[in-house]
Amino acid sequence: MNPTVRASAGVSFAEVTASLALVALLLAVAVPNLLPAPELEVRVAARELVADMGLARQLAVSEGATYVVEFRPPAGPCGPYTLYAVHKQGGPDEPDFPKALPAGVAASAPAQVPFKPSGAVAIVGPVSVDIILCSGPATARVRVTLATGYTRVVP
């Protein structure tokens, strides 16, 4: 037997690592495509709305003034809404507003969600108010707790 020829008994650590990295990359690309597009768009829009409502609450508390998240219809006096803006009550829209919901996504919501300087929501009603975002059969629910102004996406 030739001493310079080595028998291959298995795979090296580098080969295993490279294979796992390739599989991880393929999964990272494939998994988002497993969700239907409308469902993904609605979930992303709901999370962005929650973030913007948090901004309005934060501005209200830090500035000591009422800030409003105002939903705007594409036409007519009532929803479904496709735009929303954050502004000081009676003032102009904040920079980067109004924002449009993604194409095909609409919101059913009160026309305005005002955040008081305490952070609470100035809507008379039950414990919370729900904002429904939908695109065909896909829906997402954003719940705003009136006493605290806490906003979240609920299942």
Side-chain angles (χ1 to χ4, degrees), residues 9 13 19 28 40 43 45 48 52 65 85 94 113 125 127 142 148 154:
F13 178 74
S19 298
L40 185 61
R43 286 184 184 185
E48 186 172 344
D52 290 334
E94 289 294 310
V113 179
V127 176
V142 173
T148 62
V154 293

Side-chain angles (χ1 to χ4, degrees), residues 53-62 64-69 89 112-129 143-151:
M53 293 186 90
L55 170 68
R57 182 180 182 276
Q58 180 182 11
L59 287 170
V61 171
S62 65
T66 300
Y67 272 77
V68 178
V69 177
Q89 191 168 26
Q112 293 186 341
V113 179
F115 290 90
K116 298 188 282 188
S118 65
V121 176
I123 293 178
V124 177
V127 176
S128 62
V129 64
R143 180 160 292 156
V144 184
T145 305
L146 300 180
T148 62
Y150 179 68
T151 308

